[in-house]
Amino acid sequence: MAFVTGLRCRECGRTYPTEPLNVCDFCFGPLEVAYDYDAIARIISRDRITSGPLSMWRYQDLLPVDGTDAVDINAGFTPLVKSKNLGKLLGLDNLYIKNDSVNPSYSFKDRVVSVAATKALEFGFETLACASTGNLACSVAAHAARAGMKAVVFIPADLEAGKVIGAAIYAPTVVAIKGSYDEVNRLCSEVGDNWNWAFVNINMRAFYAEGSKTLGYEVAEQLNWRAPQHAVVPSASGSMYTKIYKGYKELESLGLLDAPVTTKMHLTQAAGCAPIVDGFESEDDIIKPVKPNTVAKSLAIGNPADGIYAIRTLRESGGSAYAVPEESVTEGIKLLAETEGIFTETAGGVVISGLRYLASSGAIKRDELTVAYITGNGLKTQEAVEDVVHPLLIDPSISSFEQALNGQKAGGN
Ligand SMILES: *Cc1c(COP(=O)(O)O)cnc(C)c1O
Ligand SMILES: [Zn+2]
């Protein structure tokens, strides 16, 4: 814990020791990890980072763990791809795709869970648990397997098969709840009162959330030590969105960037669950919980824990918030796949449709450096695209093949 000074309440500023706590006793505000940035500044450098491991753990000085023995399945250091075709189509000359769908359990959640699992072991927990919209369950189960910990993952019962199986294969206890994510989360808070488990996104949340900062560090490093002018990010609880910005800002204040951070942070949600977008558009920035009804299940949090902080980041960065029409989610998935060869899940469909809107509305100008964050893998949400792909089914003969090809042309497939 070289550089962690403790936990601090985000609302009243009270400080707490480094323990598995997530709310302030005094005002019920959420707790956040506090660092000794002067001490970090004395030791950190670009060289120190670039000589580190080819994973998110190259930024360990900025993560809240003690030792060097991380629970690590190699999260992070994912490709930042310069767009060839999508940018051209959207009128953007300087577009990059952060392809975080290729993490070990196929979503960015490996970054947050790697930190939370490491911290859970440091605290002496034997069981790793979570309330999940899907991807988190996969990542918690995978990291627990690696760490030799028990895992109990709680999910809404109506998740895509790819996420249920993608979690269950690592042999955690999978608890599918007949209810929404918000109900799963509420139940988990009660379970946490009675079982001494490390719930990565409840009692471990302060540590967990810090893992998302690496999505900011990594992009800045890959852009040769500068932050983009625009970041387009999907949002559920709002946590990752705020932490990407925090990542850019930390590098800036540590003197590691060549230019000041001017990133406009664009937040995207699906219209069927857009409480943060609605809150941002409301008069008083107040978030009203909604009952999710969206194809983007990984983003289906109706009562977002970090929603108000996401709105603060929206205001501070001069970003925008956009609710993508439900029918555009699949279009976004198809568009990214067809133009760049990247198959993302529904959350990525939200981002690409949001990006298309931002480009067409002029919010992002042609030459501006833009990064679209793709946070999850399309093989986990095949249900969303089942009806829009059309393999040719033929007999094993040339004539059948020709007939099918001609039919395809006629059908304009
Ligand atoms: C969980 C998740 C998000 C949103 O994360 P929050 O920090 O809760 O906003 C985005 N994309 C994918 C693929 C996710 O699984
Ligand atoms: Zn407080």
Side-chain angles (χ1 to χ4, degrees):
M1 200 183 342
F3 305 116
V4 172
T5 59
L7 299 174
R8 188 187 304 120
C9 174
R10 296 181 80 162
E11 292 304 317
C12 74
R14 272 186 175 66
T15 56
Y16 292 82
T18 308
E19 283 171 12
L21 302 169
N22 65 322
V23 284
C24 176
D25 289 337
F26 183 75
C27 77
F28 302 109
L31 303 183
E32 191 172 41
V33 178
Y35 298 88
D36 180 351
Y37 285 110
D38 292 336
I40 296 173
R42 280 194 290 276
I43 191 171
I44 205 164
S45 67
R46 291 180 187 177
D47 279 350
R48 184 174 159 94
I49 291 170
T50 55
S51 62
L54 301 179
S55 77
M56 60 175 271
W57 288 101
R58 67 210 271 109
Y59 310 106
Q60 177 166 345
D61 293 332
L62 293 157
L63 296 173
V65 301
D66 289 335
T68 49
D69 205 13
V71 179
D72 184 10
I73 59 174
N74 244 307
F77 215 69
T78 57
L80 181 72
V81 184
K82 175 92 204 254
S83 167
K84 268 201 164 20
N85 306 312
L86 180 61
K88 211 169 279 170
L89 205 80
L90 302 181
L92 301 175
D93 293 341
N94 223 347
L95 173 66
Y96 290 80
I97 310 296
K98 178 59 172 169
N99 185 8
D100 227 37
S101 73
V102 296
N103 272 304
S105 82
Y106 310 104
S107 83
F108 94 94
K109 291 293 197 306
D110 287 336
R111 297 174 183 271
V112 280
V113 174
S114 188
V115 175
T118 302
K119 205 69 205 165
L121 270 190
E122 287 179 7
F123 285 137
F125 286 106
E126 290 166 7
T127 301
L128 209 57
C130 67
S132 175
T133 57
N135 285 316
L136 187 57
C138 301
S139 187
V140 161
H143 282 85
R146 175 75 176 178
M149 300 174 82
K150 293 185 210 92
V152 185
V153 300
F154 296 78
I155 54 175
D158 69 346
L159 281 191
E160 302 95 340
K163 287 180 185 158
V164 180
I165 295 166
I169 194 63
Y170 305 105
T173 301
V174 181
V175 186
I177 291 153
K178 299 173 208 160
S180 68
Y181 168 81
D182 299 281
E183 290 167 307
V184 173
N185 191 46
R186 209 170 311 133
L187 175 65
C188 284
S189 291
E190 289 174 42
V191 172
D193 290 338
N194 296 303
W195 277 266
N196 188 32
W197 294 345
F199 274 91
V200 300
N201 55 338
I202 303 177
N203 55 336
M204 301 298 294
R205 189 172 181 86
F207 308 99
Y208 158 97
E210 293 293 287
S212 287
K213 296 189 305 184
T214 63
L215 265 173
Y217 306 146
E218 213 169 276
V219 160
E221 182 184 343
Q222 288 169 316
L223 291 172
N224 208 9
W225 303 104
R226 64 197 158 140
Q229 287 169 281
H230 300 273
V232 187
V233 179
S235 210
S237 73
S239 175
M240 174 189 62
Y241 167 87
T242 62
K243 296 293 178 177
I244 290 172
Y245 192 63
K246 184 180 179 189
Y248 299 150
K249 296 296 274 184
E250 281 183 341
L251 293 189
E252 174 186 47
S253 66
L254 289 164
L256 295 170
L257 301 184
D258 285 333
V261 174
T262 57
T263 314
K264 290 192 165 72
M265 295 292 297
H266 302 286
L267 183 148
T268 55
Q269 300 193 290
C273 181
I276 304 178
V277 178
D278 293 345
F280 181 63
E281 285 169 357
S282 73
E283 288 285 285
D284 41 12
D285 280 3
I286 286 182
I287 300 212
K288 291 200 197 71
V290 300
K291 200 168 170 356
N293 180 16
T294 174
V295 67
K297 293 178 191 288
S298 52
L299 304 181
I301 297 185
N303 189 10
D306 288 272
I308 54 166
Y309 302 105
I311 289 179
R312 285 184 202 169
T313 299
L314 273 158
R315 300 258 173 250
E316 187 187 334
S317 73
S320 69
Y322 180 60
V324 171
E326 286 294 324
E327 60 278 10
S328 303
V329 176
T330 300
E331 287 166 20
I333 295 174
K334 278 194 82 199
L335 187 57
L336 183 64
E338 291 169 9
T339 55
E340 303 293 349
I342 295 172
F343 182 17
T344 185
E345 68 143 85
T346 47
V350 168
V351 167
I352 297 302
S353 288
L355 173 72
R356 185 172 58 183
Y357 170 79
L358 290 164
S360 70
S361 70
I364 302 179
K365 308 269 182 313
R366 178 175 280 280
D367 60 333
E368 290 178 330
L369 178 56
T370 301
V371 174
Y373 279 87
I374 298 302
T375 50
N377 197 296
L379 286 172
K380 285 200 214 171
T381 63
Q382 296 180 44
E383 292 86 343
V385 289
E386 252 163 14
D387 297 339
V388 297
V389 292
H390 310 285
L392 300 177
L393 183 62
I394 65 167
D395 294 321
S397 72
I398 285 292
S399 62
S400 180
F401 174 59
E402 278 177 349
Q403 208 182 347
L405 264 192
N406 290 337
Q408 186 185 36
K409 271 184 213 134
N413 189 19

